[in-house]
Amino acid sequence: GDSVTQMEGPVTLSEEAFLTINCTYTATGYPSLFWYVQYPGEGLQLLLKATKADDKGSNKGFEATYRKETTSFHLEKGSVQVSDSAVYFCALSDWRGGSNYKLTFGKGTLLTVNP
Amino acid sequence: GAGVSQTPSNKVTEKGKYVELRCDPISGHTALYWYRQSLGQGPEFLIYFQGTGAADDSGLPNDRFFAVRPEGSVSTLKIQRTERGDSAVYLCASSRRGQVDTDTQYFGPGTRLTVL
């Protein structure tokens, strides 16, 4: 079945450091890929997405590129802020069988950014 | 407008009891989803409603779990004979139609269920 593997946390960085959170996936079809973020005390929010190979999703300074050859969708940000402290989830949705409404999530990565 | 709301925010119950968890989706959203998030895990899909009907309930773990959406808006997740392994955060999400690559799923804050 479909699955998402993301790097285990927690990740602790200083403000203005470069961030990478690795995400790889397994899917039999051609999935759409997503990053969701959960800030403390809030619900999951869509951060960015990419729906086909080589697409780059971007939002709030975060970027991720859909790499079909390496089945990866790594999240990056050039300069993190304290306000980026949150749990980040990589997810996919697979068109196979018409289930393009269902999200399959990774385990999440806790990011803490210190001033 | 208001986002997705869930009540209660916390529910503590005893093993064997019956619980109901409520989800109020964003107004006008025809698609509604339930997910379950166990400690240290990502959310796992439970069920998807399109309007009043359950289009996919393949994620419900067993027949103790049931969900309804009788008027196409509010949904209730019902768990009978609760077990300690049911303890988790139950998340509800809604979207305008249902195709996740074109149609963002908006999540509620969740209900934390603890079964003693």
Side-chain angles (χ1 to χ4, degrees), chain A residues 3-21:
Chain A
S3 66
V4 174
T5 302
Q6 57 183 108
M7 63 185 286
E8 292 192 16
V11 174
T12 303
L13 296 172
S14 297
E15 207 163 22
E16 299 184 2
F18 184 85
L19 168 71
T20 299
I21 301 178

Side-chain angles (χ1 to χ4, degrees), chain A residues 32 34 36 38 42-44 46 49 51 89 93 95 99-108, chain B residues 33 35 37 40-43 45 48 56 58 91 98-105 107-109:
Chain A
S32 296
F34 306 83
Y36 275 80
Q38 187 169 33
E42 298 185 18
L44 280 165
L46 177 64
K49 67 182 182 184
T51 58
F89 292 91
S93 176
W95 278 84
S99 58
N100 56 339
Y101 47 82
K102 182 190 305 186
L103 289 166
T104 298
F105 286 89
K107 291 186 177 182
Chain B
Y33 318 80
Y35 292 82
Q37 186 173 13
Q41 305 294 316
F45 171 83
Y48 159 56
D56 182 352
S58 63
L91 300 172
Q99 294 184 355
V100 69
D101 56 332
T102 57
D103 191 27
T104 300
Q105 288 189 19
F107 282 79

